[in-house]
Amino acid sequence: SVAVVFLSATRTLWLLMLVSLSVCICVCRASSPQEEDSAMENIVTEKKAEESHRQDSADLLIFILLLTLTILTIWLFKHRRFRFLHETGLAMIYGLLVGVVLRYGIHVPRDVSNVNLNCHVNASPATLLVDVRGKFYEYTLKRVISANEVDDLQDNEMLRKVTFDPEVFFNILLPPIIFHAGYSLKRRHFFRNMGSILAYAFLGTVISCFIIGLLMYGCVMLMKQVGQLGGDFFFTDCLFFGAIVSATDPVTVLAIFNELQVDADLYALLFGESVLNDAVAVVLSSSIVAYQPEGDNSHTFEVMAMLKSFGIFLGVFSGSFALGVATGIVTFTKLRDFQLLETALFFLMSWSTFLLAEACGFTGVVAVLFCGITQAHYTFNNLSPESQDRTKQLFELLNFLAENFIFSYMGLTLFTFQNHVFNPMFIVGAFLAVFLGRAANIYPLSLLLNLGRRNKIRSNFQHMMMFAGLRGAMTFALSIRDTATYARQMMFSTTLLVVFFTVWICGGGTTQMLSCQHIRYFCLLSNLFLVGVDSDQDNSVKGSERRSTKQESAWLFRIWYNFDHNYLKPILTHSGPPPHSHTNECQLKDDDSDLILTDGDINLTYGDITVSTDATGAHTSGGPAFAGATSSEDLDRELTYGDHELVMRGTRLVLPMDDSEPPFTDPHNRLRM
Amino acid sequence: SVAVVFLSATRTLWLLMLVSLSVCICVCRASSPQEEDSAMENIVTEKKAEESHRQDSADLLIFILLLTLTILTIWLFKHRRFRFLHETGLAMIYGLLVGVVLRYGIHVPRDVSNVNLNCHVNASPATLLVDVRGKFYEYTLKRVISANEVDDLQDNEMLRKVTFDPEVFFNILLPPIIFHAGYSLKRRHFFRNMGSILAYAFLGTVISCFIIGLLMYGCVMLMKQVGQLGGDFFFTDCLFFGAIVSATDPVTVLAIFNELQVDADLYALLFGESVLNDAVAVVLSSSIVAYQPEGDNSHTFEVMAMLKSFGIFLGVFSGSFALGVATGIVTFTKLRDFQLLETALFFLMSWSTFLLAEACGFTGVVAVLFCGITQAHYTFNNLSPESQDRTKQLFELLNFLAENFIFSYMGLTLFTFQNHVFNPMFIVGAFLAVFLGRAANIYPLSLLLNLGRRNKIRSNFQHMMMFAGLRGAMTFALSIRDTATYARQMMFSTTLLVVFFTVWICGGGTTQMLSCQHIRYFCLLSNLFLVGVDSDQDNSVKGSERRSTKQESAWLFRIWYNFDHNYLKPILTHSGPPPHSHTNECQLKDDDSDLILTDGDINLTYGDITVSTDATGAHTSGGPAFAGATSSEDLDRELTYGDHELVMRGTRLVLPMDDSEPPFTDPHNRLRM
């Protein structure tokens, strides 16, 4: 039948891929000989350059084919509805396989002319001019190599070739991923759970970082006692490890959540946390690095250095934040008639945010994140419908490619990275520390937050958040950025294992964990096209009576919302002042209901708090009802209701199809699958 | 009114751009000091790396802002319907301005630590290890500098910073441009004029190359006599110059043609020629370079070397062609349900074509061109409608960005390139040679082709083709690729001027030239949204009785068409065997009428030659009618009809709006504007 035809077609494609992969590897092998016969230097140099260009093309081709293979397999998995392995996990497996082949299958010895001639000089300039019989050759500094690494260099040319400059991850691959995360943040639920998300992301990450740092320091001390430590490992290194390993990845679990239509609040909490998490972790780690060189190799605790690091953290974070928001706001285009120009401008402005932040010494990734959030909130509404689709699709594609590239490179690097330091004790300690650090983030904070929240974070949600703390692209990019010292190399190797474990085991077990924790989800097995039903819309209509946020946060939120709605939105978007926006409401609602907070929505959200908009646009809130909402009766009612619902949910894990009408197919979700 | 608001908004944006540009330049300036106080090498190296990264970000930011500025101005021009300057011309002007600022406004002296230490060694390895007090620094070879250039190096750090590696153009910016050209080739008119296009592209480019080469050799000889020549300039250099300057650019004039709805055949001739032109020129130039080193510095004529070059030309061209077509065919996806995967796969396959060709030693750009044509012909039909849009839009955006980047860099480089050799005599000679070379391509070939063509290429069309031979991205990329010798430097400077002249003067004068040559166009001034009306559809319906192609080419074309339609298309696309395709016809026709040759179209195209499709899919052509079509009566009738029409056209240059109903708005054209 059709499935058989598809399968055979896929098999043919696979075979083809494998053949071309081996061809490509052969090309890599074949292109090493160099004729030194001719005396003409120029031709030799030209040939060398050509050779190296061909090499580079072949190397890049390996990755492209790897991605192609991943896509084909993902398609097969999606087609067969096989959900135990996410595409990122798959990309890693393919990366691993190719890594094994490159490591053990092919050995290209480094050719002699490439090696060295160590002329002893006193400086290490960025550019070097070498005089060879009247001809000058310009060399550029690539990296510093410690003395013991020099021998490895000669070892395997092939492995060196497939190793990318770590900065590629930070400057090319990470920005689209982070921007996409910001741009696709589900704003309504995000702002409703803002307080909790900020608590988890900021406080939680710092807690996790310090807990992991302290535990690892204990572990390292123990290792030193037993004599298992082969080099220096300072407390700042431990803290650095804590910082990089605290960045949870929004990708894997959330893709599954999206597919399974898990509770929107849980989704918002996890997604918001892991997105902001990344930003906090990257700034935190750079602050810790800034602390390090203060005392010359002393690595003792210093209050001044500590304060300085803290200042750097605040400065860089707020600078990046301000820059991102500013550029996001500035990009308010009026080029609606010319979609191509509009899309191009949008893309360039987002990119220039990153570059501007980097040029100013801030963190580009953080700036890009907040730029994405701001653009989704304001700029998105100014775009023509066509450009809205275009930009979404463009960043979705970039995100998809970058993500899968990073994960397949991760798999590859387990075998091709030449300075791995696998220390069993450190690894066991790290796994334990990561687990405990995550626990120390989620449970105490949830306890504290539940004191204030009316819509409690239930214990099964907490367990799920604990379980869903995968480590991914950001952790990898941060750990590969600097692998110069022994400590960093050990960290890198361990981090790689942590990522593998969490993506494969935690990522693969998400569905089981959801069932186990009795968290309701819509499993739309019978129709793949219905996967993208907008649960946001669904839940907020159905469960409007049980939605109410914690008082203070609601109060803060309302101030911000009023300001935004009355002043910012009218200025920054084309929707005009509030009276006008009412006329647009219907049109806006079906277009991008997950992106815009309209008055209709906020009425539903508050439930028992009446927010009415009068003709002049000023909001008057029902004060007394507001104050009365805290009564313990309400709380009790809600709790019992919650319990009742929980039991009910347990019995109907897989909801029947008729439960979810698909009129609100969110284009974004649909594309995601 | 609205326009005023728009204008003021734009002014604000411009101001903002300029401010950020100057901020960015300030950042560039400020970030040069380096503290050498601390003795810790590591920190210094780290700081240097960070500094250089900030620098790079700032430099890239200049270009991004330049592009942003260009986009805003284009928008203004489009809005005001100002058509004398194309976006690429505009990009060049902005590039020039920034170039002037960088050259004369800012002078950052190269810092001392960067410079030298000339240790005399005997080889020039690709990788250099430098031993500085026990630490090894890895350097990579960047380029060879001749002795007299060494002093220039110290001159201006800033200019060096904004100079890209020339290979960037070939490996990153050119592929999307060329692929887009292939992917958006109007297939119906392209195949109808195939013979003429191939003649202009292959024969014409070779003629032009040799004519220009010979003329330039004469010019160079004269210069040597007068003593104006400052270095070696061989005949192969002249031929190389001829090859790179023969590549006409499909961008500028055709954008205007598209907007003005010029005759579809003229459009097809020019577009087809300039697209294939590029491919021929790039292979031709590399063949000429391959000829050069045969005799050691003798540079005399050698039959063997000549044959070898010819062999290389054929080998590389057919290899690239075969590879491109093969990958184009292989990409027949069945992932229709998952648009993101489909688009990603399509993108990756196109990219891997380029990489595979480069890795095999063929020319990636040529492979990508034919890959694009094949994919548009077969793969496009397999894609889901959404992916068709996505891929079109994606490559359109990439093309737009790459193109404008190249042209603004072109402007910049006039001032920032440090080894310009402007020789008045050479420049005058080159302009003359380019003019004569183009004339020797168009007029004699048109004369020959008109002997065979029934649908003659009229003299006004010939003048237009002569005039529209702009030089652009490909010429620039080829000439900047190697600027090591005196000859190449002089070529580069001259090429730059040729590009400027043709883009500004010829590109800007297209509308005037069209009026002057009495070539009919639809000038849809009153409604911008109607610009994209599909003239293909329009013309083929209206003028069906006067459409008929030259016999032989039609015969060749029909064999190919039958084979394609009966065997290739059914196998490679989902449309199934011919009986099935009839049912799809309607649906296909309105979707991508410019992309698919259906039976209905071919009936219209042939006019008096009946092509009927029976149920089994075998075509039976009306033999007698076919033979009778050559009668001189028909020819005469057509000629007089053509003359009559010409006169009629002259009187109604700007057609009234009611002449063009807009039901067939081609999505592609509409986006283009």
Side-chain angles (χ1 to χ4, degrees), chain A residues 594-612:
Chain A
D594 56 332
L595 292 170
I596 298 165
L597 273 163
T598 55
D599 286 271
D601 296 337
I602 210 75
N603 270 328
L604 283 176
T605 309
Y606 277 47
D608 47 353
I609 304 158
T610 341
V611 181
S612 62

PDB file of all heavy atoms in Angstrom, chain A residues 594-612:
ATOM      1  N   ASP A 594      -2.393  33.998  20.057  1.00  0.00           N
ATOM      2  CA  ASP A 594      -1.438  33.733  21.123  1.00  0.00           C
ATOM      3  C   ASP A 594      -0.442  34.867  21.296  1.00  0.00           C
ATOM      4  O   ASP A 594       0.426  34.810  22.131  1.00  0.00           O
ATOM      5  CB  ASP A 594      -0.699  32.420  20.856  1.00  0.00           C
ATOM      6  CG  ASP A 594      -0.027  32.417  19.523  1.00  0.00           C
ATOM      7  OD1 ASP A 594      -0.512  33.119  18.610  1.00  0.00           O
ATOM      8  OD2 ASP A 594       0.981  31.751  19.368  1.00  0.00           O
ATOM      9  N   LEU A 595      -0.554  35.886  20.476  1.00  0.00           N
ATOM     10  CA  LEU A 595       0.462  36.932  20.536  1.00  0.00           C
ATOM     11  C   LEU A 595      -0.049  38.243  21.099  1.00  0.00           C
ATOM     12  O   LEU A 595       0.726  39.060  21.548  1.00  0.00           O
ATOM     13  CB  LEU A 595       1.020  37.174  19.136  1.00  0.00           C
ATOM     14  CG  LEU A 595       1.835  36.008  18.605  1.00  0.00           C
ATOM     15  CD1 LEU A 595       2.132  36.205  17.158  1.00  0.00           C
ATOM     16  CD2 LEU A 595       3.108  35.859  19.396  1.00  0.00           C
ATOM     17  N   ILE A 596      -1.337  38.448  21.087  1.00  0.00           N
ATOM     18  CA  ILE A 596      -1.828  39.753  21.462  1.00  0.00           C
ATOM     19  C   ILE A 596      -2.754  39.668  22.664  1.00  0.00           C
ATOM     20  O   ILE A 596      -3.648  38.827  22.734  1.00  0.00           O
ATOM     21  CB  ILE A 596      -2.591  40.384  20.277  1.00  0.00           C
ATOM     22  CG1 ILE A 596      -1.627  40.555  19.116  1.00  0.00           C
ATOM     23  CG2 ILE A 596      -3.184  41.716  20.662  1.00  0.00           C
ATOM     24  CD1 ILE A 596      -2.334  40.804  17.835  1.00  0.00           C
ATOM     25  N   LEU A 597      -2.510  40.535  23.603  1.00  0.00           N
ATOM     26  CA  LEU A 597      -3.388  40.634  24.759  1.00  0.00           C
ATOM     27  C   LEU A 597      -4.463  41.654  24.454  1.00  0.00           C
ATOM     28  O   LEU A 597      -4.203  42.855  24.420  1.00  0.00           O
ATOM     29  CB  LEU A 597      -2.576  41.094  25.959  1.00  0.00           C
ATOM     30  CG  LEU A 597      -1.887  40.014  26.772  1.00  0.00           C
ATOM     31  CD1 LEU A 597      -0.825  40.639  27.616  1.00  0.00           C
ATOM     32  CD2 LEU A 597      -2.881  39.275  27.620  1.00  0.00           C
ATOM     33  N   THR A 598      -5.647  41.210  24.200  1.00  0.00           N
ATOM     34  CA  THR A 598      -6.710  42.163  23.935  1.00  0.00           C
ATOM     35  C   THR A 598      -7.601  42.248  25.164  1.00  0.00           C
ATOM     36  O   THR A 598      -7.495  41.443  26.091  1.00  0.00           O
ATOM     37  CB  THR A 598      -7.540  41.732  22.723  1.00  0.00           C
ATOM     38  OG1 THR A 598      -8.008  40.411  22.965  1.00  0.00           O
ATOM     39  CG2 THR A 598      -6.723  41.764  21.472  1.00  0.00           C
ATOM     40  N   ASP A 599      -8.483  43.230  25.137  1.00  0.00           N
ATOM     41  CA  ASP A 599      -9.340  43.422  26.293  1.00  0.00           C
ATOM     42  C   ASP A 599     -10.207  42.207  26.567  1.00  0.00           C
ATOM     43  O   ASP A 599     -10.451  41.843  27.705  1.00  0.00           O
ATOM     44  CB  ASP A 599     -10.221  44.648  26.081  1.00  0.00           C
ATOM     45  CG  ASP A 599      -9.420  45.903  26.230  1.00  0.00           C
ATOM     46  OD1 ASP A 599      -9.338  46.376  27.353  1.00  0.00           O
ATOM     47  OD2 ASP A 599      -8.845  46.357  25.237  1.00  0.00           O
ATOM     48  N   GLY A 600     -10.680  41.603  25.529  1.00  0.00           N
ATOM     49  CA  GLY A 600     -11.536  40.434  25.686  1.00  0.00           C
ATOM     50  C   GLY A 600     -10.827  39.348  26.465  1.00  0.00           C
ATOM     51  O   GLY A 600     -11.385  38.732  27.369  1.00  0.00           O
ATOM     52  N   ASP A 601      -9.594  39.147  26.158  1.00  0.00           N
ATOM     53  CA  ASP A 601      -8.813  38.117  26.806  1.00  0.00           C
ATOM     54  C   ASP A 601      -8.628  38.401  28.282  1.00  0.00           C
ATOM     55  O   ASP A 601      -8.752  37.536  29.126  1.00  0.00           O
ATOM     56  CB  ASP A 601      -7.425  38.015  26.160  1.00  0.00           C
ATOM     57  CG  ASP A 601      -7.526  37.572  24.724  1.00  0.00           C
ATOM     58  OD1 ASP A 601      -8.540  36.957  24.389  1.00  0.00           O
ATOM     59  OD2 ASP A 601      -6.598  37.855  23.968  1.00  0.00           O
ATOM     60  N   ILE A 602      -8.305  39.656  28.542  1.00  0.00           N
ATOM     61  CA  ILE A 602      -7.977  39.973  29.923  1.00  0.00           C
ATOM     62  C   ILE A 602      -9.201  39.834  30.814  1.00  0.00           C
ATOM     63  O   ILE A 602      -9.112  39.457  31.966  1.00  0.00           O
ATOM     64  CB  ILE A 602      -7.342  41.389  30.004  1.00  0.00           C
ATOM     65  CG1 ILE A 602      -6.372  41.443  31.165  1.00  0.00           C
ATOM     66  CG2 ILE A 602      -8.369  42.481  30.123  1.00  0.00           C
ATOM     67  CD1 ILE A 602      -5.098  40.726  30.883  1.00  0.00           C
ATOM     68  N   ASN A 603     -10.366  40.053  30.284  1.00  0.00           N
ATOM     69  CA  ASN A 603     -11.582  39.848  31.038  1.00  0.00           C
ATOM     70  C   ASN A 603     -11.737  38.381  31.405  1.00  0.00           C
ATOM     71  O   ASN A 603     -12.091  38.050  32.521  1.00  0.00           O
ATOM     72  CB  ASN A 603     -12.809  40.295  30.228  1.00  0.00           C
ATOM     73  CG  ASN A 603     -13.127  41.746  30.484  1.00  0.00           C
ATOM     74  OD1 ASN A 603     -12.898  42.224  31.585  1.00  0.00           O
ATOM     75  ND2 ASN A 603     -13.617  42.434  29.480  1.00  0.00           N
ATOM     76  N   LEU A 604     -11.443  37.537  30.474  1.00  0.00           N
ATOM     77  CA  LEU A 604     -11.538  36.110  30.731  1.00  0.00           C
ATOM     78  C   LEU A 604     -10.511  35.678  31.749  1.00  0.00           C
ATOM     79  O   LEU A 604     -10.765  34.879  32.628  1.00  0.00           O
ATOM     80  CB  LEU A 604     -11.299  35.342  29.428  1.00  0.00           C
ATOM     81  CG  LEU A 604     -12.464  35.305  28.441  1.00  0.00           C
ATOM     82  CD1 LEU A 604     -12.034  34.601  27.187  1.00  0.00           C
ATOM     83  CD2 LEU A 604     -13.658  34.609  29.085  1.00  0.00           C
ATOM     84  N   THR A 605      -9.329  36.241  31.615  1.00  0.00           N
ATOM     85  CA  THR A 605      -8.214  35.819  32.441  1.00  0.00           C
ATOM     86  C   THR A 605      -8.453  36.126  33.913  1.00  0.00           C
ATOM     87  O   THR A 605      -8.182  35.316  34.785  1.00  0.00           O
ATOM     88  CB  THR A 605      -6.938  36.545  31.979  1.00  0.00           C
ATOM     89  OG1 THR A 605      -6.810  36.372  30.593  1.00  0.00           O
ATOM     90  CG2 THR A 605      -5.737  36.016  32.687  1.00  0.00           C
ATOM     91  N   TYR A 606      -8.979  37.299  34.163  1.00  0.00           N
ATOM     92  CA  TYR A 606      -9.114  37.716  35.555  1.00  0.00           C
ATOM     93  C   TYR A 606     -10.275  37.034  36.261  1.00  0.00           C
ATOM     94  O   TYR A 606     -10.304  36.939  37.459  1.00  0.00           O
ATOM     95  CB  TYR A 606      -9.260  39.239  35.620  1.00  0.00           C
ATOM     96  CG  TYR A 606      -7.934  39.918  35.558  1.00  0.00           C
ATOM     97  CD1 TYR A 606      -7.007  39.560  34.610  1.00  0.00           C
ATOM     98  CD2 TYR A 606      -7.598  40.876  36.494  1.00  0.00           C
ATOM     99  CE1 TYR A 606      -5.786  40.145  34.560  1.00  0.00           C
ATOM    100  CE2 TYR A 606      -6.375  41.479  36.455  1.00  0.00           C
ATOM    101  CZ  TYR A 606      -5.462  41.115  35.468  1.00  0.00           C
ATOM    102  OH  TYR A 606      -4.258  41.719  35.437  1.00  0.00           O
ATOM    103  N   GLY A 607     -11.219  36.587  35.481  1.00  0.00           N
ATOM    104  CA  GLY A 607     -12.342  35.874  36.081  1.00  0.00           C
ATOM    105  C   GLY A 607     -13.174  36.764  36.978  1.00  0.00           C
ATOM    106  O   GLY A 607     -14.001  37.540  36.499  1.00  0.00           O
ATOM    107  N   ASP A 608     -12.871  36.724  38.272  1.00  0.00           N
ATOM    108  CA  ASP A 608     -13.707  37.461  39.204  1.00  0.00           C
ATOM    109  C   ASP A 608     -13.286  38.923  39.370  1.00  0.00           C
ATOM    110  O   ASP A 608     -13.885  39.664  40.126  1.00  0.00           O
ATOM    111  CB  ASP A 608     -13.752  36.757  40.559  1.00  0.00           C
ATOM    112  CG  ASP A 608     -12.380  36.353  41.013  1.00  0.00           C
ATOM    113  OD1 ASP A 608     -11.418  36.506  40.184  1.00  0.00           O
ATOM    114  OD2 ASP A 608     -12.217  35.910  42.123  1.00  0.00           O
ATOM    115  N   ILE A 609     -12.228  39.328  38.716  1.00  0.00           N
ATOM    116  CA  ILE A 609     -11.822  40.725  38.793  1.00  0.00           C
ATOM    117  C   ILE A 609     -12.276  41.405  37.510  1.00  0.00           C
ATOM    118  O   ILE A 609     -11.814  41.059  36.427  1.00  0.00           O
ATOM    119  CB  ILE A 609     -10.294  40.851  38.916  1.00  0.00           C
ATOM    120  CG1 ILE A 609      -9.805  40.054  40.117  1.00  0.00           C
ATOM    121  CG2 ILE A 609      -9.891  42.310  39.037  1.00  0.00           C
ATOM    122  CD1 ILE A 609      -8.354  39.691  40.033  1.00  0.00           C
ATOM    123  N   THR A 610     -13.158  42.350  37.638  1.00  0.00           N
ATOM    124  CA  THR A 610     -13.715  42.951  36.426  1.00  0.00           C
ATOM    125  C   THR A 610     -12.826  44.074  35.924  1.00  0.00           C
ATOM    126  O   THR A 610     -12.533  45.019  36.655  1.00  0.00           O
ATOM    127  CB  THR A 610     -15.108  43.530  36.698  1.00  0.00           C
ATOM    128  OG1 THR A 610     -15.612  42.927  37.879  1.00  0.00           O
ATOM    129  CG2 THR A 610     -16.017  43.293  35.523  1.00  0.00           C
ATOM    130  N   VAL A 611     -12.383  43.966  34.725  1.00  0.00           N
ATOM    131  CA  VAL A 611     -11.606  45.041  34.105  1.00  0.00           C
ATOM    132  C   VAL A 611     -12.436  45.560  32.949  1.00  0.00           C
ATOM    133  O   VAL A 611     -12.664  44.861  31.975  1.00  0.00           O
ATOM    134  CB  VAL A 611     -10.257  44.526  33.578  1.00  0.00           C
ATOM    135  CG1 VAL A 611      -9.478  45.669  32.975  1.00  0.00           C
ATOM    136  CG2 VAL A 611      -9.478  43.877  34.687  1.00  0.00           C
ATOM    137  N   SER A 612     -12.913  46.772  33.085  1.00  0.00           N
ATOM    138  CA  SER A 612     -13.733  47.292  31.995  1.00  0.00           C
ATOM    139  C   SER A 612     -13.028  48.454  31.314  1.00  0.00           C
ATOM    140  O   SER A 612     -12.300  49.218  31.942  1.00  0.00           O
ATOM    141  CB  SER A 612     -15.087  47.753  32.537  1.00  0.00           C
ATOM    142  OG  SER A 612     -14.886  48.799  33.455  1.00  0.00           O
TER     143      SER A 612
END
